[in-house]
Amino acid sequence: MKKLDKYDQKYTIITLFDHTYPENLKTIPDPPYVLYTEGDVSLFHSPLSISVIGTRRPSSYAFPAMKSVLIPLIQSGFTIVSGMAQGIDQLAHTLAAEYNGKTIAVLGSGFQHIYPKNNPLLYRSLTENHLVVSEYPPDCPPKKYHFPERNRLIAGLTPSTFVIEARLKSGTLITVDQALEQGKDVYALPGPAGRVTSEGCHKMINEGAKLVHTYHDILEDWLEKFE
């Protein structure tokens, strides 16, 4: 692990051979050889963690429903991993910060080209108090193909992935496919019938994802693993 003098002293590079490299990523089919980080790298080794993903355009149902599940998990010590995208991702990061939890944001670009640019205050909070990570060098701008690549890291950093809302054809479902390929658990929040943002979660539940009524549905699985 070393500082990147070429870019800025605040950026740190971690290689696959460093002891600080996240263990969860070492087990996925295509782990990145290099991670660029800004923030608290100890969060890579949180004993409790979960990836939270969902649509960039959530319904009015999504936010109160996800808060009822995520806030108790955050207060129970779960580190929240997400992708800093607008919508579900940014709310997940915000909830972790507001409720004295910890969160990791995985970017699809380098640190000098933050995308999206809509919430600089949240990004600054994440770099100062949490962790931001990318497999792309700091001067690398976002490309369309970066985001499917980024999604495998969101799934890979934690043992399980929780989907809030998703359309049938979306990047969220790509992340779910990657989580399943990696052997991770998948949880889905059911939504109102007939809403397009509910269709992806309902499809996942029909195909075997665990339906989440309350935070207990996730927490109980973790407790069973540690028994």
Side-chain angles (χ1 to χ4, degrees):
M1 183 174 75
K2 62 180 180 179
K3 294 293 184 180
L4 287 173
D5 294 332
K6 177 182 176 183
Y7 299 105
D8 195 306
Q9 285 294 322
K10 64 185 178 180
Y11 304 142
T12 301
I13 185 170
I14 298 173
T15 74
L16 185 61
F17 308 103
D18 291 326
H19 72 278
T20 48
Y21 192 93
E23 290 295 326
N24 283 326
L25 280 189
K26 291 181 180 180
T27 63
I28 71 173
D30 49 356
Y33 287 105
V34 172
L35 293 172
Y36 301 89
T37 69
E38 185 175 2
D40 182 4
V41 296
S42 72
L43 296 183
F44 280 142
H45 308 287
S46 301
L48 299 173
S49 62
I50 189 168
S51 300
V52 179
I53 59 174
T55 179
R56 289 174 170 79
R57 299 179 180 85
S59 71
S60 58
Y61 164 83
F63 287 167
M66 71 180 286
K67 288 169 71 173
S68 70
V69 177
L70 284 190
I71 291 173
L73 292 179
I74 292 164
Q75 293 174 333
S76 298
F78 277 80
T79 293
I80 304 299
V81 176
S82 198
M84 190 61 193
Q86 293 187 50
I88 296 299
D89 290 19
Q90 289 189 6
L91 182 63
H93 294 308
T94 299
L95 287 174
E98 288 182 349
Y99 286 88
N100 299 315
K102 291 296 181 181
T103 186
I104 300 173
V106 187
L107 303 184
S109 62
F111 297 137
Q112 295 174 1
H113 298 273
I114 301 305
Y115 181 86
K117 301 178 180 180
N118 69 304
N119 201 334
L121 290 179
L122 174 60
Y123 179 78
R124 186 184 310 158
S125 171
L126 296 180
T127 60
E128 292 176 352
N129 304 299
H130 304 275
L131 179 62
V132 180
V133 59
S134 176
E135 65 179 314
Y136 306 107
D139 59 358
C140 181
K143 303 291 185 181
K144 187 174 182 180
Y145 65 86
H146 287 175
F147 295 95
E149 292 177 347
R150 180 274 310 267
N151 291 349
R152 86 188 191 287
L153 303 187
I154 295 174
L157 279 169
T158 69
S160 54
T161 295
F162 178 34
V163 186
I164 306 297
E165 277 190 333
R167 297 170 183 263
L168 282 176
K169 294 182 179 180
S170 65
T172 299
L173 296 192
I174 294 174
T175 310
V176 169
D177 288 342
Q178 291 168 331
L180 293 172
E181 180 184 353
Q182 295 168 6
K184 307 299 179 73
D185 295 327
V186 175
Y187 300 91
L189 185 74
R195 279 190 175 164
V196 293
T197 50
S198 301
E199 291 175 349
C201 286
H202 293 171
K203 181 176 185 290
M204 284 184 277
I205 291 167
N206 286 338
E207 293 177 349
K210 183 167 183 178
L211 186 154
V212 174
H213 287 290
T214 72
Y215 74 97
H216 290 289
D217 296 313
I218 296 174
L219 192 58
E220 286 173 359
D221 278 0
W222 277 86
L223 294 176
E224 288 178 3
K225 291 176 183 178
F226 287 102
E227 285 182 352

